[in-house]
Amino acid sequence: MATSELAPKANTPQTGENIGGTGQNAPGATTLTGRAGADQPPATRGRTSIADVVVVKIAGIATREVPGVYDMGGGLSRAIGAVRDRVPGGRSNVGRGVKVEVGERQTAIDLDVVVEYGVPITDVAHDVRENVIAAVERITGLEVVEVNVAVNDVHLPDDDNADSGSARVE
């Protein structure tokens, strides 16, 4: 990711006030600071913090919405995710395959995706970028400076029809 393009992370409040007496924001959070004072519009009074995990989840969901994306993450994380999905009461990890860097006003996103066989990879990557940028900017108000898409596998139609342990030859 191009870290030089991102605004630095907010580690202390911009107005000099302590949050909860600690003088710091939550780790991995960005802070958007409004203006203080009774003469300011109500919508601009105070701070809004956006944690990295929020951007991760939004980007993960937006990526999975794109036709042609089969799954996300590398081989090991997909295997662990498949086990987690089968455990009763387990939740799927929408952030699998997503890495973000969040600054005060900007974010950069890296995605690891698995595409369906037969779909044009460049078209899927283009659609993923458009959908992720639109969702993150609309929901968080952060400017997305880049979305890097790494296609690390292709899902073949035969992958779903794998034998369940039976021998090929009898």
Side-chain angles (χ1 to χ4, degrees):
M1 283 187 238
T3 55
S4 61
E5 296 176 5
L6 294 178
K9 275 198 172 190
N11 289 326
T12 57
Q14 293 182 2
T15 59
E17 298 173 23
N18 287 344
I19 297 177
T22 64
Q24 293 187 347
N25 293 329
T30 186
T31 302
L32 306 172
T33 305
R35 297 176 214 115
D39 59 333
Q40 299 299 321
T44 63
R45 296 181 203 167
R47 281 184 281 283
T48 302
S49 298
I50 301 172
D52 292 2
V53 69
V54 173
V55 178
V56 166
K57 287 181 178 182
I58 294 167
I61 292 169
T63 301
R64 285 174 173 80
E65 291 174 346
V66 175
V69 173
Y70 176 76
D71 201 359
M72 294 184 65
L76 180 61
S77 70
R78 286 197 325 267
I80 293 170
V83 170
R84 179 187 291 178
D85 292 344
R86 291 185 184 138
V87 172
R91 294 182 291 149
S92 63
N93 182 2
V94 296
R96 183 174 65 230
V98 182
K99 294 179 189 120
V100 301
E101 187 173 336
V102 181
E104 289 181 15
R105 289 176 231 88
Q106 298 175 325
T107 186
I109 302 167
D110 291 331
L111 304 167
D112 291 330
V113 300
V114 177
V115 298
E116 294 281 355
Y117 174 78
V119 298
I121 292 173
T122 54
D123 292 350
V124 171
H126 178 267
D127 293 345
V128 164
R129 279 189 190 91
E130 281 188 346
N131 204 40
V132 168
I133 290 170
V136 170
E137 288 184 347
R138 178 178 48 85
I139 295 171
T140 67
L142 295 169
E143 175 189 6
V144 178
V145 294
E146 67 182 9
V147 175
N148 300 310
V149 179
V151 178
N152 58 27
D153 201 358
V154 174
H155 177 257
L156 303 174
D158 294 342
D159 291 348
D160 291 333
N161 300 330
D163 290 339
S164 60
S166 63
R168 283 181 28 183
V169 180
E170 293 185 34

